[in-house]
Amino acid sequence: MYYQVIPTKIFRQTTDPSDGLLTYKSNTPLTSGQIVLIPLGKSSIPGIIYQSTIPPKNPTFEIKEIQSTLNLPPLPKHLLKSVFWLSQYYLSPLPAVANLLLPKGLTKTRRKTTVTQESTTNQPLFVNRLSIIDQPSSTNQLSIINQPSSTNQFPSVNHAPFDNQSLSTRLNSFQPIPLNRAQQMALENLKKIKPHTKLLHGITGSGKTNLYLTLVMEQFQKSRSSIILVPEISLTSQLVQEFQCYFPHSVITIHSKQTEASRHLTWQKILTSQEPLIIIGARSAIFSPVQNLGLIIIDEAHDPAFYQENPPRYSALRLASFIVNTKNIDCVYGTATPLIEDFYLAEKNHAYVSLTQKAKDTAFTPKIELIDLKNSQNFIKNRYFSDSLIKNIVQNLEKHQQTLIFHNRRGSAPLTICTHCGWQALCPNCLLPLTLHSDNFQLVCHTCGHTESVPKTCPVCSHPDIIHKGFGTKLLETELKKLFKTAKIARFDADNTVDNSINQLYQQIKDGEIDILVGTQLLTKGLDLPKLATVGIVQADSGLSLPDYASEERSFHLLTQVIGRVGRGHLQDASVFIQTYQPEHPIIHFSIQNNYISAYQYLLNKRKQGHFPPYFYIAKLYITQKTEQTTIKKIRELYSLLRAQKNIFLSAPTPAFHEFSSSGYTWQIIIKATSRKNLISAIQSVKTISNLRYILDPPSLL
């Protein structure tokens, strides 16, 4: 018998999915989705059976035999269909997409695993989770970690080992999830929506999680699994804990901190499970091989983390919509600030529900003070924090309440320059400014990771007068420690070590043991902080002027999310201090008012004028060469070929935002079209251009 197989290794460059299939033969009957080992060149690699086929007539090549079949169930049909859809939709090689379905080290023999029950006191995030505990001897044990949750917040549960209770016993022991009237109405309206992709537009603090729990429980009682996608698993302590309380034996988390062995065994557990599961994870969890999928939920659906920037590129939101349409099930996008394109489509298809009431009756709108950074009289005590913000922090410390200081730039200073000759410290790979990190006194490139020591004298003129300008979260942390010497201060950004992450310190944060939190957007996503009384936004307009069509939208998301950390009903009053050079900017005011609809209409009008999504499809084509002269020559050649295409709009060839890197010089062309088909045709017409790369539906043009 002959079979078409999807290999997991690219063997030819093509944008046609059918060109990514290879024909093999086998004496053993096989079914679609089965994972096999196939010979390819001199190596043996995993492959996925697509379908049986008739042998080619007069083949000019040898048809090789499938070497062996892995002793695993076939992959679910919806994942097999997803591979082809992703390949066609994003013009990605089929083998590269197929790799997304399988864990690394699939053919490795893992050490014997056992199920144990282990009590831990230092696991604030993943309770009752299926995980791999790496022992010092390098042996792995498959364990259930039981961490009792706060009895003040969650119902009591019986923490028993995995599979010790029958499914029917667990179904009968479920406690109802409390819903207020607004949540109940939103749930009923979601069920009335005909399209399978539904948008839940719920303001911060409206209790979207209770709706998620209810929807998941309904599927669980039908023996169906659910997948819940979150922007970053390390930020979802509360979400995981709440689901563990209602489904203590059925939650599996997938996250970037897992070892290869852990991911492999977790994947295998999902594939072979005969019972419904709740999978909670970041973007890649969408590929979990659940056999009985009944629901997909995407929390914080506006977050850019749901788009994979590295090839094969894809949007988890778009893939989720394809899967639910294929399986005739539902997907819910939950967010307080929907993406412009998503809200536009949801409004057009009558597929959205608004949840505008706070979940707690004690919730209120915080006091908001807008502070003009141009007025030096506001900053007599400190150049980074206004006098009114400092006064408020002092009051919080006296009341044992928390303050959150937000600034979406890490490091200490983004510019290092010589005041004598104007020399500036630039990355030798990217030619971008190096950022000072004062804690280890290093200059770091936040694009490629290059590091170097801070020079004592200027390398050009030898003058010692080198200064550092601008500021980031590390500098703010240093300044706060000077101002509030007895306060416990913690910084949360991408420079944090694992030991100082939100995951590790979550319980301390929740209990109010940390007085002042300093951080970037990591602190804006889904955290419910009972002791938080004040939010200070140090420079609210820092992202508004970037040369990108989505910069204002991203700023609105960030500001709305960080303002939403307070006023959730835990404290009697709360304050927000917004420092900005542009106090009259519409986005600043829409964020203060929590007025998504006005922001949406403002941004939608600008998108229409600029020929951007949702009115146009866009693609970014770029070429990188070692020399600038060669790059310009190639990009002009590309531009000339594209001009012959009809029904598309072309930008002029321009340098990329990050023009120079270790790979060379990069120039780009932006294509726009009202039809995605025209966009794809244009790209396919120029695929013979060497070193051409492209990104369909880029969330950013930077």
Side-chain angles (χ1 to χ4, degrees):
M1 299 179 69
Y2 294 83
Y3 296 93
Q4 287 182 311
V5 180
I6 310 169
T8 53
K9 180 180 180 181
I10 297 175
F11 58 94
R12 70 167 70 99
Q13 291 296 329
T14 177
T15 56
D16 184 352
S18 61
D19 288 344
L21 294 169
L22 291 174
T23 302
Y24 289 87
K25 58 185 178 182
S26 173
N27 294 326
T28 305
L30 300 170
T31 60
S32 296
Q34 276 194 274
I35 303 169
V36 295
L37 289 180
I38 54 173
L40 186 63
K42 296 180 180 179
S43 59
S44 176
I45 64 167
I48 304 169
I49 298 293
Y50 173 54
Q51 62 183 10
S52 60
T53 186
I54 57 174
K57 294 180 180 179
N58 304 318
T60 57
F61 54 90
E62 177 191 0
I63 300 179
K64 297 181 179 180
E65 286 210 24
I66 291 171
Q67 294 174 335
S68 62
T69 304
L70 272 65
N71 187 24
L72 290 167
L75 293 174
K77 291 181 180 179
H78 73 267
L79 287 184
L80 208 56
K81 292 178 181 178
S82 296
V83 171
F84 280 84
W85 180 82
L86 280 172
S87 179
Q88 290 175 325
Y89 197 76
Y90 291 103
L91 294 182
S92 296
L94 193 62
V97 179
N99 256 316
L100 297 171
L101 271 59
L102 305 179
K104 290 183 179 179
L106 183 63
T107 58
K108 292 182 180 179
T109 301
R110 303 297 179 188
R111 292 184 181 274
K112 187 176 180 179
T113 62
T114 58
V115 177
T116 64
Q117 184 165 356
E118 181 175 318
S119 176
T120 65
T121 56
N122 296 315
Q123 295 286 342
L125 174 55
F126 302 123
V127 291
N128 280 341
R129 70 175 180 178
L130 180 69
S131 65
I132 304 302
I133 308 301
D134 290 327
Q135 303 297 328
S137 60
S138 298
T139 60
N140 290 326
Q141 287 187 312
L142 189 61
S143 303
I144 305 303
I145 300 176
N146 288 317
Q147 172 72 20
S149 299
S150 170
T151 55
N152 294 330
Q153 287 196 344
F154 309 122
S156 60
V157 293
N158 178 25
H159 295 293
F162 199 87
D163 290 336
N164 269 21
Q165 289 183 320
S166 68
L167 179 60
S168 60
T169 301
R170 279 180 270 154
L171 289 175
N172 293 330
S173 66
F174 278 144
Q175 299 187 28
I177 295 150
L179 298 178
N180 61 30
R181 187 174 180 180
Q183 291 166 340
Q184 185 64 47
M185 187 175 295
L187 182 66
E188 292 171 2
N189 290 334
L190 277 173
K191 293 178 180 179
K192 292 176 183 176
I193 293 174
K194 291 182 179 180
H196 291 296
T197 301
K198 310 164 191 276
L199 176 63
L200 175 60
H201 175 211
I203 62 171
T204 52
S206 59
K208 294 186 288 293
T209 302
N210 278 8
L211 293 183
Y212 300 161
L213 283 163
T214 304
L215 291 167
V216 168
M217 186 172 287
E218 289 176 356
Q219 294 302 315
F220 199 92
Q221 290 172 328
K222 297 175 183 177
S223 292
R224 294 178 181 173
S225 297
S226 298
I227 294 175
I228 303 164
L229 298 187
V230 292
E232 173 50 53
I233 194 66
S234 65
L235 304 174
T236 56
S237 305
Q238 296 160 213
L239 188 68
V240 172
Q241 284 182 355
E242 292 196 45
F243 273 89
Q244 289 288 0
C245 285
Y246 285 96
F247 308 93
H249 311 282
S250 304
V251 176
I252 292 181
T253 59
I254 298 174
H255 56 95
S256 58
K257 302 299 182 184
Q258 286 176 305
T259 64
E260 181 184 295
S262 172
R263 292 182 76 89
H264 183 186
L265 290 170
T266 301
W267 176 88
Q268 199 165 311
K269 173 66 185 176
I270 295 169
L271 180 63
T272 57
S273 176
Q274 298 299 311
E275 292 191 357
L277 299 171
I278 293 95
I279 314 296
I280 301 180
R283 181 182 59 235
S284 62
I286 191 71
F287 297 106
S288 298
V290 286
Q291 302 287 354
N292 54 346
L293 182 62
L295 175 70
I296 299 176
I297 293 173
I298 303 181
D299 191 32
E300 306 288 349
H302 62 278
D303 198 282
F306 291 121
Y307 182 87
Q308 176 158 303
E309 295 183 352
N310 299 321
R313 297 178 177 88
Y314 69 92
S315 164
L317 276 71
R318 302 295 164 259
L319 176 56
S321 291
F322 170 79
I323 290 173
V324 298
N325 286 332
T326 299
K327 288 187 63 64
N328 196 30
I329 61 176
D330 285 343
C331 173
V332 177
Y333 295 177
T335 172
T337 54
L339 291 169
I340 299 298
E341 300 97 304
D342 292 338
F343 195 82
Y344 177 83
L345 290 172
E347 194 174 43
K348 185 178 179 180
N349 297 326
H350 306 287
Y352 81 92
V353 171
S354 292
L355 187 57
T356 57
Q357 180 180 315
K358 296 274 188 177
K360 296 182 180 179
D361 295 334
T362 53
F364 61 93
T365 301
K367 301 172 187 175
I368 298 180
E369 184 173 334
L370 194 60
I371 300 161
D372 192 345
L373 280 165
K374 300 188 297 294
N375 186 351
S376 59
Q377 293 302 307
N378 293 324
F379 297 86
I380 294 174
K381 295 180 180 178
N382 186 276
R383 60 185 296 188
Y384 304 109
F385 308 108
S386 64
D387 295 349
S388 54
L389 175 57
I390 292 173
K391 180 181 178 181
N392 189 270
I393 296 174
V394 171
Q395 293 172 350
N396 288 343
L397 292 172
E398 292 172 351
K399 298 177 182 178
H400 303 289
Q401 295 175 343
Q402 285 175 324
T403 302
L404 188 158
I405 300 297
F406 171 78
H407 183 52
N408 206 31
R409 177 176 285 166
R410 56 195 171 99
S412 302
L415 292 175
T416 297
I417 59 177
C418 172
T419 59
H420 188 256
C421 72
W423 167 84
Q424 183 176 340
L426 299 177
C427 173
N429 301 323
C430 311
L431 296 185
L432 294 172
L434 293 171
T435 298
L436 172 69
H437 286 241
S438 57
D439 52 349
N440 54 11
F441 210 58
Q442 289 267 309
L443 295 173
V444 180
C445 177
H446 286 172
T447 299
C448 73
H450 168 81
T451 62
E452 59 183 63
S453 300
V454 180
K456 295 179 180 178
T457 59
C458 175
V460 174
C461 70
S462 300
H463 201 279
D465 199 3
I466 293 176
I467 63 170
H468 309 284
K469 301 191 71 174
F471 61 93
T473 49
K474 283 187 179 179
L475 179 60
L476 295 178
E477 180 188 21
T478 301
E479 289 291 316
L480 287 166
K481 286 179 177 178
K482 292 177 183 176
L483 289 167
F484 309 103
K485 293 181 173 58
T486 60
K488 186 170 182 180
I489 301 170
R491 175 175 49 82
F492 302 95
D493 55 32
D495 295 321
N496 282 123
T497 61
V498 174
D499 292 335
N500 196 34
S501 66
I502 292 177
N503 176 21
Q504 295 295 320
L505 298 179
Y506 173 66
Q507 199 61 44
Q508 293 182 46
I509 298 170
K510 185 178 175 182
D511 294 342
E513 294 176 21
I514 296 175
D515 299 311
I516 303 174
L517 293 76
V518 187
T520 59
Q521 59 183 338
L522 291 178
L523 288 174
T524 70
K525 302 176 183 178
L527 287 176
D528 188 17
L529 307 174
K531 305 285 187 177
L532 184 64
T534 298
V535 164
I537 302 173
V538 180
Q539 190 178 338
D541 48 61
S542 59
L544 283 174
S545 301
L546 292 172
D548 183 38
Y549 77 97
S551 61
E552 287 184 313
E553 180 184 23
R554 284 195 298 271
S555 292
F556 176 75
H557 291 168
L558 279 174
L559 293 175
T560 304
Q561 292 289 330
V562 73
I563 291 171
R565 294 311 98 206
V566 292
R568 301 169 75 95
H570 298 296
L571 300 175
Q572 291 300 313
D573 58 8
S575 303
V576 178
F577 295 83
I578 301 176
Q579 301 176 177
T580 174
Y581 286 107
Q582 304 178 62
E584 302 303 321
H585 197 289
I587 289 297
I588 302 288
H589 284 272
F590 295 146
S591 302
I592 290 172
Q593 298 160 5
N594 195 15
N595 190 341
Y596 174 80
I597 297 300
S598 292
Y600 165 74
Q601 292 168 344
Y602 164 80
L603 292 168
L604 190 67
N605 184 53
K606 295 187 77 171
R607 296 282 186 92
K608 190 173 186 178
Q609 293 176 359
H611 292 182
F612 285 111
Y615 298 102
F616 281 75
Y617 294 95
I618 61 173
K620 179 167 71 173
L621 282 65
Y622 59 101
I623 290 175
T624 302
Q625 298 280 279
K626 284 297 181 183
T627 67
E628 188 172 23
Q629 185 178 5
T630 309
T631 305
I632 293 173
K633 181 181 178 182
K634 295 284 287 185
I635 203 76
R636 284 176 175 169
E637 178 187 346
L638 173 63
Y639 183 74
S640 178
L641 290 173
L642 287 171
R643 288 190 66 181
Q645 296 296 308
K646 296 180 180 179
N647 301 317
I648 62 171
F649 296 85
L650 289 179
S651 74
T654 57
F657 185 71
H658 293 163
E659 180 184 2
F660 183 75
S661 69
S662 57
S663 301
Y665 292 84
T666 301
W667 280 54
Q668 67 185 32
I669 294 173
I670 306 301
I671 307 179
K672 303 176 185 178
T674 54
S675 162
R676 189 182 180 87
K677 183 179 178 181
N678 292 337
L679 207 65
I680 289 175
S681 295
I683 293 172
Q684 290 178 325
S685 72
V686 295
K687 61 184 180 183
T688 55
I689 296 276
S690 60
N691 291 330
L692 172 65
R693 292 183 174 88
Y694 49 83
I695 306 176
L696 281 156
D697 304 333
S700 168
L701 298 180
L702 297 181

Tab-separated table of all heavy atoms in Angstrom, residues 562-597:
chain	number	residue	atom	x	y	z
A	562	VAL	N	-3.290	48.479	32.452
A	562	VAL	CA	-2.592	48.822	33.698
A	562	VAL	C	-3.488	49.658	34.612
A	562	VAL	O	-3.471	49.487	35.841
A	562	VAL	CB	-1.250	49.536	33.408
A	562	VAL	CG1	-1.430	50.951	32.923
A	562	VAL	CG2	-0.366	49.520	34.650
A	563	ILE	N	-4.309	50.538	34.041
A	563	ILE	CA	-5.270	51.292	34.861
A	563	ILE	C	-6.269	50.332	35.506
A	563	ILE	O	-6.693	50.521	36.652
A	563	ILE	CB	-6.003	52.345	34.005
A	563	ILE	CG1	-5.028	53.460	33.578
A	563	ILE	CG2	-7.185	52.949	34.768
A	563	ILE	CD1	-5.601	54.428	32.556
A	564	GLY	N	-6.602	49.269	34.777
A	564	GLY	CA	-7.573	48.291	35.270
A	564	GLY	C	-7.087	47.430	36.409
A	564	GLY	O	-7.854	46.635	36.964
A	565	ARG	N	-5.813	47.558	36.804
A	565	ARG	CA	-5.319	46.787	37.956
A	565	ARG	C	-5.906	47.285	39.265
A	565	ARG	O	-5.876	46.570	40.272
A	565	ARG	CB	-3.785	46.862	38.033
A	565	ARG	CG	-2.986	46.215	36.916
A	565	ARG	CD	-3.423	44.810	36.609
A	565	ARG	NE	-4.324	44.778	35.455
A	565	ARG	CZ	-5.225	43.850	35.225
A	565	ARG	NH1	-5.418	42.893	36.082
A	565	ARG	NH2	-5.984	43.898	34.153
A	566	VAL	N	-6.411	48.529	39.287
A	566	VAL	CA	-7.012	49.062	40.521
A	566	VAL	C	-8.502	49.290	40.294
A	566	VAL	O	-8.991	49.244	39.174
A	566	VAL	CB	-6.346	50.388	40.960
A	566	VAL	CG1	-4.929	50.153	41.414
A	566	VAL	CG2	-6.396	51.420	39.846
A	567	GLY	N	-9.219	49.568	41.396
A	567	GLY	CA	-10.658	49.806	41.299
A	567	GLY	C	-11.459	48.544	41.109
A	567	GLY	O	-12.572	48.571	40.589
A	568	ARG	N	-10.907	47.394	41.557
A	568	ARG	CA	-11.579	46.107	41.347
A	568	ARG	C	-12.403	45.672	42.568
A	568	ARG	O	-12.878	44.543	42.622
A	568	ARG	CB	-10.536	45.040	41.009
A	568	ARG	CG	-9.735	45.386	39.757
A	568	ARG	CD	-8.549	44.478	39.585
A	568	ARG	NE	-8.932	43.148	39.118
A	568	ARG	CZ	-8.929	42.771	37.843
A	568	ARG	NH1	-8.580	43.637	36.902
A	568	ARG	NH2	-9.271	41.557	37.497
A	569	GLY	N	-12.524	46.571	43.546
A	569	GLY	CA	-13.402	46.273	44.674
A	569	GLY	C	-12.721	45.783	45.919
A	569	GLY	O	-13.374	45.507	46.920
A	570	HIS	N	-11.392	45.671	45.919
A	570	HIS	CA	-10.694	45.172	47.100
A	570	HIS	C	-10.534	46.261	48.158
A	570	HIS	O	-10.605	45.982	49.349
A	570	HIS	CB	-9.317	44.635	46.697
A	570	HIS	CG	-9.380	43.478	45.741
A	570	HIS	ND1	-9.944	42.274	46.080
A	570	HIS	CD2	-8.958	43.367	44.451
A	570	HIS	CE1	-9.859	41.449	45.042
A	570	HIS	NE2	-9.269	42.088	44.056
A	571	LEU	N	-10.282	47.514	47.713
A	571	LEU	CA	-10.049	48.622	48.636
A	571	LEU	C	-11.123	49.693	48.449
A	571	LEU	O	-11.774	49.770	47.397
A	571	LEU	CB	-8.660	49.219	48.387
A	571	LEU	CG	-7.475	48.243	48.563
A	571	LEU	CD1	-6.176	48.926	48.158
A	571	LEU	CD2	-7.394	47.736	49.997
A	572	GLN	N	-11.283	50.515	49.462
A	572	GLN	CA	-12.318	51.543	49.423
A	572	GLN	C	-12.036	52.628	48.387
A	572	GLN	O	-12.939	53.202	47.804
A	572	GLN	CB	-12.469	52.182	50.814
A	572	GLN	CG	-13.064	51.245	51.850
A	572	GLN	CD	-14.454	50.763	51.468
A	572	GLN	OE1	-15.303	51.558	51.073
A	572	GLN	NE2	-14.675	49.457	51.572
A	573	ASP	N	-10.771	52.933	48.183
A	573	ASP	CA	-10.428	53.918	47.155
A	573	ASP	C	-9.082	53.549	46.548
A	573	ASP	O	-8.312	52.774	47.096
A	573	ASP	CB	-10.406	55.345	47.720
A	573	ASP	CG	-9.424	55.486	48.877
A	573	ASP	OD1	-8.660	54.530	49.127
A	573	ASP	OD2	-9.427	56.538	49.528
A	574	ALA	N	-8.834	54.078	45.366
A	574	ALA	CA	-7.585	53.809	44.660
A	574	ALA	C	-7.296	54.973	43.731
A	574	ALA	O	-8.195	55.743	43.378
A	574	ALA	CB	-7.680	52.503	43.875
A	575	SER	N	-6.033	55.092	43.340
A	575	SER	CA	-5.613	56.236	42.527
A	575	SER	C	-4.732	55.794	41.373
A	575	SER	O	-4.015	54.789	41.472
A	575	SER	CB	-4.837	57.247	43.394
A	575	SER	OG	-5.618	57.672	44.487
A	576	VAL	N	-4.805	56.554	40.297
A	576	VAL	CA	-3.941	56.342	39.141
A	576	VAL	C	-3.298	57.679	38.793
A	576	VAL	O	-3.992	58.698	38.670
A	576	VAL	CB	-4.727	55.806	37.927
A	576	VAL	CG1	-3.798	55.656	36.722
A	576	VAL	CG2	-5.390	54.479	38.249
A	577	PHE	N	-1.972	57.683	38.647
A	577	PHE	CA	-1.232	58.891	38.275
A	577	PHE	C	-0.626	58.650	36.891
A	577	PHE	O	0.181	57.738	36.698
A	577	PHE	CB	-0.137	59.188	39.297
A	577	PHE	CG	-0.671	59.527	40.664
A	577	PHE	CD1	-1.025	58.523	41.557
A	577	PHE	CD2	-0.852	60.846	41.047
A	577	PHE	CE1	-1.531	58.820	42.812
A	577	PHE	CE2	-1.357	61.162	42.307
A	577	PHE	CZ	-1.702	60.148	43.191
A	578	ILE	N	-1.052	59.466	35.925
A	578	ILE	CA	-0.602	59.296	34.541
A	578	ILE	C	0.285	60.476	34.159
A	578	ILE	O	-0.193	61.609	34.032
A	578	ILE	CB	-1.803	59.196	33.574
A	578	ILE	CG1	-2.688	58.013	33.975
A	578	ILE	CG2	-1.329	59.050	32.141
A	578	ILE	CD1	-3.956	57.884	33.147
A	579	GLN	N	1.577	60.208	34.011
A	579	GLN	CA	2.539	61.237	33.613
A	579	GLN	C	2.762	61.150	32.108
A	579	GLN	O	3.035	60.078	31.578
A	579	GLN	CB	3.856	61.032	34.372
A	579	GLN	CG	3.693	61.093	35.882
A	579	GLN	CD	4.973	60.808	36.652
A	579	GLN	OE1	4.998	60.875	37.876
A	579	GLN	NE2	6.059	60.497	35.960
A	580	THR	N	2.656	62.293	31.424
A	580	THR	CA	2.759	62.275	29.968
A	580	THR	C	3.193	63.624	29.411
A	580	THR	O	2.893	64.667	30.000
A	580	THR	CB	1.403	61.875	29.337
A	580	THR	OG1	1.477	62.004	27.916
A	580	THR	CG2	0.266	62.748	29.849
A	581	TYR	N	3.899	63.570	28.289
A	581	TYR	CA	4.246	64.792	27.558
A	581	TYR	C	3.099	65.241	26.650
A	581	TYR	O	3.122	66.335	26.110
A	581	TYR	CB	5.487	64.556	26.684
A	581	TYR	CG	6.775	64.476	27.467
A	581	TYR	CD1	7.419	63.262	27.659
A	581	TYR	CD2	7.365	65.624	28.008
A	581	TYR	CE1	8.604	63.180	28.372
A	581	TYR	CE2	8.548	65.558	28.726
A	581	TYR	CZ	9.168	64.332	28.903
A	581	TYR	OH	10.339	64.263	29.615
A	582	GLN	N	2.107	64.369	26.441
A	582	GLN	CA	0.992	64.666	25.538
A	582	GLN	C	-0.342	64.497	26.271
A	582	GLN	O	-1.117	63.595	25.964
A	582	GLN	CB	1.029	63.736	24.321
A	582	GLN	CG	2.331	63.771	23.546
A	582	GLN	CD	2.334	62.800	22.374
A	582	GLN	OE1	1.531	62.925	21.447
A	582	GLN	NE2	3.242	61.829	22.418
A	583	PRO	N	-0.620	65.362	27.238
A	583	PRO	CA	-1.839	65.200	28.038
A	583	PRO	C	-3.133	65.350	27.246
A	583	PRO	O	-4.195	64.938	27.717
A	583	PRO	CB	-1.715	66.294	29.111
A	583	PRO	CG	-0.765	67.291	28.546
A	583	PRO	CD	0.186	66.514	27.694
A	584	GLU	N	-3.055	65.928	26.027
A	584	GLU	CA	-4.261	66.120	25.215
A	584	GLU	C	-4.464	65.016	24.190
A	584	GLU	O	-5.435	65.048	23.429
A	584	GLU	CB	-4.191	67.484	24.494
A	584	GLU	CG	-4.041	68.687	25.412
A	584	GLU	CD	-5.161	68.758	26.439
A	584	GLU	OE1	-6.322	68.450	26.071
A	584	GLU	OE2	-4.887	69.107	27.600
A	585	HIS	N	-3.579	64.047	24.137
A	585	HIS	CA	-3.683	63.010	23.103
A	585	HIS	C	-4.971	62.198	23.302
A	585	HIS	O	-5.292	61.782	24.417
A	585	HIS	CB	-2.476	62.076	23.159
A	585	HIS	CG	-2.291	61.266	21.907
A	585	HIS	ND1	-3.135	60.241	21.552
A	585	HIS	CD2	-1.353	61.346	20.917
A	585	HIS	CE1	-2.737	59.716	20.404
A	585	HIS	NE2	-1.657	60.369	19.997
A	586	PRO	N	-5.729	61.951	22.202
A	586	PRO	CA	-6.998	61.212	22.329
A	586	PRO	C	-6.843	59.844	22.988
A	586	PRO	O	-7.698	59.441	23.788
A	586	PRO	CB	-7.467	61.064	20.873
A	586	PRO	CG	-6.818	62.185	20.144
A	586	PRO	CD	-5.505	62.405	20.813
A	587	ILE	N	-5.774	59.119	22.673
A	587	ILE	CA	-5.588	57.782	23.238
A	587	ILE	C	-5.435	57.839	24.751
A	587	ILE	O	-5.957	56.977	25.479
A	587	ILE	CB	-4.370	57.086	22.594
A	587	ILE	CG1	-4.671	56.710	21.146
A	587	ILE	CG2	-3.952	55.850	23.384
A	587	ILE	CD1	-5.792	55.698	20.975
A	588	ILE	N	-4.747	58.864	25.249
A	588	ILE	CA	-4.602	59.035	26.703
A	588	ILE	C	-5.977	59.199	27.346
A	588	ILE	O	-6.293	58.577	28.359
A	588	ILE	CB	-3.707	60.252	27.034
A	588	ILE	CG1	-2.320	60.123	26.404
A	588	ILE	CG2	-3.626	60.467	28.542
A	588	ILE	CD1	-1.437	59.100	27.025
A	589	HIS	N	-6.817	60.020	26.728
A	589	HIS	CA	-8.129	60.302	27.304
A	589	HIS	C	-9.078	59.119	27.172
A	589	HIS	O	-9.858	58.840	28.092
A	589	HIS	CB	-8.728	61.559	26.667
A	589	HIS	CG	-8.103	62.822	27.168
A	589	HIS	ND1	-8.553	63.480	28.291
A	589	HIS	CD2	-7.031	63.526	26.725
A	589	HIS	CE1	-7.798	64.542	28.509
A	589	HIS	NE2	-6.860	64.593	27.571
A	590	PHE	N	-9.022	58.403	26.058
A	590	PHE	CA	-9.857	57.201	25.923
A	590	PHE	C	-9.474	56.162	26.977
A	590	PHE	O	-10.337	55.461	27.508
A	590	PHE	CB	-9.708	56.595	24.525
A	590	PHE	CG	-10.219	57.467	23.411
A	590	PHE	CD1	-9.598	57.478	22.164
A	590	PHE	CD2	-11.323	58.285	23.595
A	590	PHE	CE1	-10.064	58.271	21.141
A	590	PHE	CE2	-11.804	59.095	22.568
A	590	PHE	CZ	-11.167	59.093	21.341
A	591	SER	N	-8.191	56.073	27.274
A	591	SER	CA	-7.728	55.114	28.285
A	591	SER	C	-8.217	55.510	29.672
A	591	SER	O	-8.660	54.656	30.455
A	591	SER	CB	-6.193	55.037	28.277
A	591	SER	OG	-5.708	54.671	27.009
A	592	ILE	N	-8.128	56.797	29.981
A	592	ILE	CA	-8.589	57.289	31.284
A	592	ILE	C	-10.084	57.021	31.462
A	592	ILE	O	-10.541	56.603	32.526
A	592	ILE	CB	-8.292	58.802	31.414
A	592	ILE	CG1	-6.779	59.024	31.539
A	592	ILE	CG2	-9.034	59.402	32.604
A	592	ILE	CD1	-6.380	60.485	31.485
A	593	GLN	N	-10.839	57.227	30.387
A	593	GLN	CA	-12.294	57.053	30.444
A	593	GLN	C	-12.710	55.587	30.315
A	593	GLN	O	-13.895	55.272	30.435
A	593	GLN	CB	-12.949	57.872	29.324
A	593	GLN	CG	-12.711	59.360	29.424
A	593	GLN	CD	-12.935	60.074	28.078
A	593	GLN	OE1	-13.365	59.462	27.097
A	593	GLN	NE2	-12.638	61.364	28.031
A	594	ASN	N	-11.728	54.709	30.035
A	594	ASN	CA	-12.029	53.301	29.755
A	594	ASN	C	-13.078	53.205	28.650
A	594	ASN	O	-14.017	52.399	28.711
A	594	ASN	CB	-12.516	52.583	31.022
A	594	ASN	CG	-12.481	51.069	30.871
A	594	ASN	OD1	-11.853	50.531	29.964
A	594	ASN	ND2	-13.197	50.379	31.742
A	595	ASN	N	-12.883	54.019	27.629
A	595	ASN	CA	-13.862	54.154	26.550
A	595	ASN	C	-13.354	53.428	25.311
A	595	ASN	O	-12.754	54.035	24.416
A	595	ASN	CB	-14.105	55.643	26.264
A	595	ASN	CG	-15.290	55.863	25.339
A	595	ASN	OD1	-15.724	54.953	24.629
A	595	ASN	ND2	-15.810	57.077	25.346
A	596	TYR	N	-13.597	52.125	25.285
A	596	TYR	CA	-13.099	51.343	24.147
A	596	TYR	C	-13.784	51.739	22.842
A	596	TYR	O	-13.126	51.846	21.796
A	596	TYR	CB	-13.303	49.841	24.386
A	596	TYR	CG	-12.939	49.027	23.166
A	596	TYR	CD1	-11.610	48.726	22.883
A	596	TYR	CD2	-13.913	48.605	22.261
A	596	TYR	CE1	-11.258	48.018	21.742
A	596	TYR	CE2	-13.572	47.894	21.113
A	596	TYR	CZ	-12.244	47.614	20.862
A	596	TYR	OH	-11.910	46.929	19.724
A	597	ILE	N	-15.084	51.947	22.866
A	597	ILE	CA	-15.827	52.214	21.632
A	597	ILE	C	-15.315	53.487	20.953
A	597	ILE	O	-15.115	53.516	19.729
A	597	ILE	CB	-17.337	52.322	21.911
A	597	ILE	CG1	-17.867	50.980	22.450
A	597	ILE	CG2	-18.089	52.717	20.655
A	597	ILE	CD1	-17.676	49.813	21.505
